[in-house]
Amino acid sequence: MDRRYKGLIIAGIFLLGVVVFSKVQQRGGITYATAVGTVRTGKSLNVRKGPGTNYACLKKGSTTVRLKNEEQVTILAQNKKWYKIRLKKQSQKLVGYVPMKNLAVMSGDMNSEVYGTAYPSAVLVRSRAVRSGSLMRVDGAAVRLSKNKKVRILSESTMYGVKYYKVSFTYNGDKTEGYVPADSIKADYQSAMPGVISTSRQVTLKKKAGSTEIVKADGTSIIMKNGTEVLMLSEKIVSGVKYICVDVTYNKEVYRGYVTANLVRFKTVQVEDVVNGEQENLFVEKTTPAPAKTPEPENTAAPSYNSTDNSTGSTTVLNDKEFKQEMIKQGFPSSYITALQALHEKYPKWSFKAYQTGIDWSTAVDNEGRVGLNLISNSKSGDWKSQEEGAYNASTGTYIPFDGSTWVTASEKAVRYYMDPRNFLNESGIFQFESLEYQKGTQNQSGVENVLKNTPMYKVSYEYVDDTGKSVTTTYSKTFMDAAALSSVSPYHLASRVKQEVVTGSTSMSSSVSGTVKGYEGIYNFYNIGANNSTKAGGAVANGLAWANKDTTYLRPWNTQYKAIVGGAQYLGSNYINIGQNTLYLQKFNVTANNTYNHQYMSNIEAPWSEALKTAEAYGTDKADMSLVFSIPVYSGMPSVVCPMPSGETQQTVQTVSTNNYLKSLSVKGYSFQSPFKSGDDGHEAYSLKLNKRVSSIRINASPVSSAAKVSGSGKKKLAPKVKSKTYVVKVKAESGDVRKYKIKVKRKK
């Protein structure tokens, strides 16, 4: 940026006064930022009990409360031409009112209203912030906003990665309110609108919308944290993603760049309708509050007890005594520390951070134990299943299913067992606490290559054509690093996730990333997003590719490997990781301050544990050389003894279990299939074979990719002379119990 421009901006900022954020509050999705304003008056300024000179002066004891020039106060609300403020006098907090003209903030007067216009034609309005359903209707007709229709933006919310505005507008002469995607409204930023970064993670400022290039100050990346104030200047949509152009002050210099729209909110001041000089807290929710003292999830960067070389990602660790002292300092109870010390001894480069939930253990168990919230297989013994009212039919002695016919409510004992982090502080279970955020400085391309070892992506380059028509050659590991920078998701997690989803052997991957599936040529889906199960042959793969080929969000359609990896990472990040649920554990048990006990990924209570096993396997033996970070929940009032496993089952062995159930080879001795078997086939192909009338038997040969998998259905098969056709099924059962089927269709020649 031109330094002359920066100088002018800086001069303007200091003339107006500097805003320092103390806290970002939410009320129905609106961002109210309590900002520190600076008094601008040539003499002392009286503080009033109400918004006007007709109100008496505020007093502390018998002394009138006055503000000096340059004194700073916290702005709470706006009441006509007055600000409601909070100030401190002799350690006592007071609330009063001062004229707006005498209080300066960075962007001038605080705004109470934000407006915009609909710019696509016929924008559908919904009664709730959802992508489908809940259409607003008047006399049976769906309500639409015509192009350039003016609306007032009342609030902002992000649901499952999609940002919505609650808007007010006139419809058929009546004032109406509803929800529309933020991408369909062009906000009026005037010359500049005050905004605030609203996220639990750190945000880097990008040079261009949709670019990976980061704005730097003297070689250092511009990083913004939750509550950082910005000036919002304009917006731009690139590949279906909305970006906001902002100015931000960094080390007393002003820099301009872009951030994704869902990470920044308009900063508005609440308009106070009721005058009450004694009411200090304007932001009390009328709905059920979140648990007291629950902190916002922090960015779980490597803790300070490790000395990290940011250029190499190498880490210098503490000895056993120092490590124990640090764990105590972090707030880990003694019942955690022995297991953590054992992990530290074996994996000295790993870092452990206590995530203090601020929630009472019994309260958390009670909430997560609600009927229908956490489910478990009905095949489990009775101690694992709830017999609460609504979960169990005592008259018939049967458990009530909540998903399909086999998933029933987990018992309180099962909830306690799976929620107690101490049950999983071992070298595989620990991965449900792995921080899935991008740890810049400790996570690098070399580490990604370690994850990709023994896969077709290890140190491999590929070529694709970008949106400008330019041919680009890059490596898979570099792509995962780009994806991490753009999504703020750990590149190690992304690489291991892909390894779990589509890698079938050291030289093969599933058809979902081949780009050759019929009907979806040139489409890729590395994370199998949207690949829901289907009874049709190849249905799951086809469903995933159909999802990757539709819509324009998350860089879709995924017609290059690059878009599929980077766009998929953005999808994974926006739905959970970037809103604070940044571990597998928190995605299942949401004990963060945001939407506590709700917005939980999967109903299967065993999901964090089983996914952790897969992650540990995906990392392989190289995980010992990686600087991984683990964020482990700690509750208040935890029992001194680790919560035991429910009875009626053999002791669960928490170790790395292979989930690989692919075939490495499939053939019939002495014969050839009409279409040859290809390593990496996921079982959706049926292999055809024609035999003459005299053949009475065949021998099927099959070998699995994983030595831990078991094959059934192979060997010698008899074929009666009168049988014209028959289908043989070869099953591959992984060590984890997952089964994959391969079909061979045999027909006799006429």
Side-chain angles (χ1 to χ4, degrees):
M1 178 181 291
D2 191 318
R3 290 191 174 272
R4 291 173 297 174
Y5 170 76
K6 288 190 285 188
L8 290 172
I9 294 290
I10 294 167
I13 290 171
F14 280 102
L15 285 172
L16 290 171
V18 178
V19 169
V20 180
F21 279 85
S22 59
K23 193 172 184 180
V24 175
Q25 302 279 357
Q26 296 287 330
R27 188 178 187 180
I30 305 174
T31 296
Y32 296 114
T34 58
V36 178
T38 304
V39 175
R40 291 289 184 261
T41 178
K43 54 184 179 180
S44 62
L45 179 66
N46 289 331
V47 179
R48 301 280 177 174
K49 290 185 176 181
T53 54
N54 56 320
Y55 287 86
C57 291
L58 185 68
K59 292 189 177 182
K60 184 180 183 298
S62 59
T63 305
T64 299
V65 177
R66 294 185 175 90
L67 300 174
K68 299 178 182 178
N69 192 40
E70 301 296 326
E71 190 170 347
Q72 292 183 335
V73 296
T74 300
I75 301 171
L76 298 178
Q78 177 184 335
N79 195 309
K80 297 181 181 179
K81 294 184 178 181
W82 290 71
Y83 279 143
K84 185 173 185 177
I85 63 169
R86 181 168 62 230
L87 64 151
K88 185 181 287 188
K89 291 292 183 181
Q90 297 175 349
S91 300
Q92 183 179 351
K93 289 182 179 179
L94 303 172
V95 174
Y97 295 81
V98 295
M100 289 173 58
K101 65 181 180 180
N102 294 122
L103 205 61
V105 296
M106 177 179 176
S107 54
D109 290 339
M110 299 275 284
N111 289 273
S112 60
E113 297 181 353
V114 181
Y115 291 90
T117 54
Y119 59 86
S121 59
V123 177
L124 289 169
V125 182
R126 303 186 185 278
S127 59
R128 294 185 294 117
V130 293
R131 294 193 65 175
S132 62
S134 302
L135 285 178
M136 183 175 289
R137 296 182 182 275
V138 174
D139 297 329
V143 176
R144 290 177 168 85
L145 299 177
S146 59
K147 187 176 182 180
N148 296 324
K149 174 72 174 179
K150 186 175 181 179
V151 300
R152 179 183 172 188
I153 300 172
L154 302 175
S155 66
E156 304 169 79
S157 58
T158 302
M159 298 296 290
Y160 303 104
V162 179
K163 187 172 184 176
Y164 292 88
Y165 289 148
K166 183 179 182 181
V167 297
S168 172
F169 56 96
T170 55
Y171 186 80
N172 291 343
D174 296 326
K175 186 177 180 181
T176 307
E177 293 182 0
Y179 294 85
V180 294
D183 291 351
S184 63
I185 300 296
K186 186 175 183 180
D188 180 7
Y189 297 96
Q190 303 175 34
S191 58
M193 284 286 292
V196 58
I197 298 297
S198 180
T199 177
S200 62
R201 63 181 178 83
Q202 294 180 333
V203 179
T204 53
L205 188 66
K206 303 300 192 304
K207 282 192 174 182
K208 296 180 181 179
S211 170
T212 60
E213 193 172 1
I214 298 172
V215 178
K216 294 185 177 182
D218 298 325
T220 302
S221 299
I222 305 294
I223 295 177
M224 297 169 286
K225 298 180 179 180
N226 188 46
T228 299
E229 180 177 334
V230 298
L231 293 182
M232 304 168 69
L233 307 174
S234 62
E235 60 187 53
K236 189 175 183 180
I237 293 180
V238 177
S239 300
V241 179
K242 189 173 185 177
Y243 296 86
I244 307 296
C245 180
V246 301
D247 279 348
V248 61
T249 302
Y250 186 84
N251 290 340
K252 298 184 179 181
E253 297 276 0
V254 175
Y255 294 87
R256 180 167 295 179
Y258 288 83
V259 295
T260 51
N262 62 342
L263 299 179
V264 61
R265 293 176 181 268
F266 295 108
K267 187 191 72 174
T268 59
V269 63
Q270 182 182 6
V271 176
E272 185 187 53
D273 295 322
V274 180
V275 176
N276 183 353
E278 301 303 317
Q279 182 184 344
E280 183 172 331
N281 186 2
L282 297 176
F283 309 110
V284 177
E285 292 274 8
K286 293 183 179 180
T287 56
T288 303
K293 298 183 181 180
T294 302
E296 293 287 342
E298 300 176 357
N299 182 10
T300 52
S304 58
Y305 63 84
N306 280 356
S307 175
T308 304
D309 179 353
N310 290 338
S311 63
T312 63
S314 60
T315 306
T316 303
V317 297
L318 304 177
N319 60 39
D320 290 345
K321 183 178 180 180
E322 293 169 331
F323 176 80
K324 182 177 181 179
Q325 291 174 342
E326 180 56 37
M327 293 299 95
I328 295 172
K329 181 180 177 182
Q330 288 253 349
F332 281 113
S334 57
S335 54
Y336 283 69
I337 293 177
T338 300
L340 291 177
Q341 281 185 304
L343 285 171
H344 173 68
E345 184 176 349
K346 188 168 184 179
Y347 301 101
K349 290 188 177 182
W350 290 4
S351 299
F352 307 101
K353 184 173 183 179
Y355 173 52
Q356 300 290 348
T357 65
I359 300 176
D360 176 73
W361 168 252
S362 296
T363 301
V365 171
D366 288 344
N367 278 277
E368 290 290 348
R370 287 175 291 167
V371 172
L373 181 61
N374 284 290
L375 307 183
I376 200 162
S377 173
N378 198 19
S379 63
K380 289 278 191 178
S381 63
D383 212 28
W384 291 83
K385 298 177 290 188
S386 173
Q387 293 191 6
E388 294 286 332
E389 184 178 354
Y392 180 73
N393 188 333
S395 63
T396 61
T398 58
Y399 295 90
I400 299 171
F402 284 83
D403 187 2
S405 60
T406 59
W407 291 93
V408 300
T409 302
S411 67
E412 181 182 324
K413 286 184 179 180
V415 172
R416 287 179 176 274
Y417 173 73
Y418 278 113
M419 283 195 72
D420 191 340
R422 297 169 296 182
N423 281 313
F424 307 101
L425 300 182
N426 51 70
E427 57 188 282
S428 52
I430 190 71
F431 280 92
Q432 65 183 280
F433 311 117
E434 179 194 2
S435 175
L436 305 182
E437 293 177 317
Y438 179 23
Q439 313 293 335
K440 187 177 180 181
T442 62
Q443 294 173 337
N444 51 41
Q445 192 170 342
S446 176
V448 174
E449 289 288 6
N450 283 337
V451 178
L452 296 178
K453 279 184 178 178
N454 299 315
T455 77
M457 295 178 286
Y458 178 57
K459 294 186 177 180
V460 169
S461 298
Y462 66 93
E463 188 176 346
Y464 71 97
V465 178
D466 66 16
D467 290 339
T468 66
K470 180 182 177 182
S471 181
V472 179
T473 300
T474 189
T475 61
Y476 282 102
S477 59
K478 176 63 167 60
T479 304
F480 282 114
M481 291 303 297
D482 289 349
L486 286 169
S487 67
S488 295
V489 178
S490 160
Y492 298 170
H493 171 66
L494 295 174
S496 67
R497 180 82 172 251
V498 167
K499 191 173 178 179
Q500 294 173 45
E501 293 290 344
V502 300
V503 173
T504 60
S506 60
T507 60
S508 60
M509 294 194 287
S510 77
S511 56
S512 59
V513 294
S514 67
T516 61
V517 174
K518 187 176 181 180
Y520 299 100
E521 290 84 356
I523 300 299
Y524 306 84
N525 192 336
F526 279 81
Y527 304 95
N528 276 336
I529 298 169
N532 302 315
N533 289 328
S534 172
T535 56
K536 297 180 181 179
V541 171
N543 288 341
L545 294 176
W547 192 92
N549 195 37
K550 71 177 182 180
D551 214 331
T552 57
T553 57
Y554 310 111
L555 304 183
R556 289 182 290 174
W558 291 342
N559 52 12
T560 67
Q561 296 97 319
Y562 188 88
K563 280 186 178 181
I565 293 174
V566 175
Q570 292 177 335
Y571 173 86
L572 295 174
S574 63
N575 280 274
Y576 287 93
I577 298 168
N578 296 343
I579 61 174
Q581 290 174 259
N582 58 351
T583 67
L584 293 172
Y585 182 95
L586 293 178
Q587 289 175 18
K588 180 67 201 84
F589 305 113
N590 185 11
V591 290
T592 72
N594 298 319
N595 211 6
T596 314
Y597 311 125
N598 295 297
H599 189 245
Q600 300 188 154
Y601 178 70
M602 297 177 66
S603 55
N604 180 5
I605 196 172
E606 296 182 301
W609 170 76
S610 61
E611 290 297 315
L613 301 187
K614 295 177 183 179
T615 302
E617 181 189 22
Y619 277 137
T621 57
D622 292 305
K623 57 181 175 283
D625 296 322
M626 303 171 72
S627 300
L628 301 175
V629 179
F630 300 92
S631 178
I632 307 169
V634 175
Y635 300 85
S636 60
M638 292 190 74
S640 58
V641 179
V642 178
C643 295
M645 177 183 294
S647 61
E649 302 286 334
T650 57
Q651 181 63 37
Q652 192 173 23
T653 303
V654 183
Q655 60 183 7
T656 301
V657 177
S658 174
T659 59
N660 193 315
N661 53 10
Y662 282 83
L663 279 182
K664 181 167 60 176
S665 64
L666 178 65
S667 63
V668 174
K669 186 176 180 180
Y671 299 94
S672 298
F673 296 133
Q674 289 182 334
S675 296
F677 173 82
K678 294 181 180 179
S679 179
D681 174 41
D682 54 14
H684 75 277
E685 292 284 350
Y687 295 95
S688 299
L689 189 67
K690 286 190 176 182
L691 304 174
N692 61 43
K693 296 180 180 180
R694 297 180 180 179
V695 176
S696 60
S697 66
I698 59 174
R699 178 170 291 279
I700 299 174
N701 298 319
S703 61
V705 171
S706 172
S707 59
K710 294 181 179 180
V711 174
S712 61
S714 59
K716 187 176 181 179
K717 304 293 178 182
K718 291 184 178 181
L719 186 64
K722 293 183 179 181
V723 175
K724 294 181 179 181
S725 65
K726 188 170 183 178
T727 299
Y728 296 96
V729 178
V730 176
K731 298 180 180 180
V732 187
K733 186 176 182 180
E735 187 180 13
S736 62
D738 297 332
V739 176
R740 189 179 300 277
K741 298 177 181 179
Y742 293 84
K743 295 179 180 179
I744 299 175
K745 292 184 177 180
V746 175
K747 290 184 178 181
R748 292 195 183 277
K749 296 178 182 179
K750 294 182 180 179

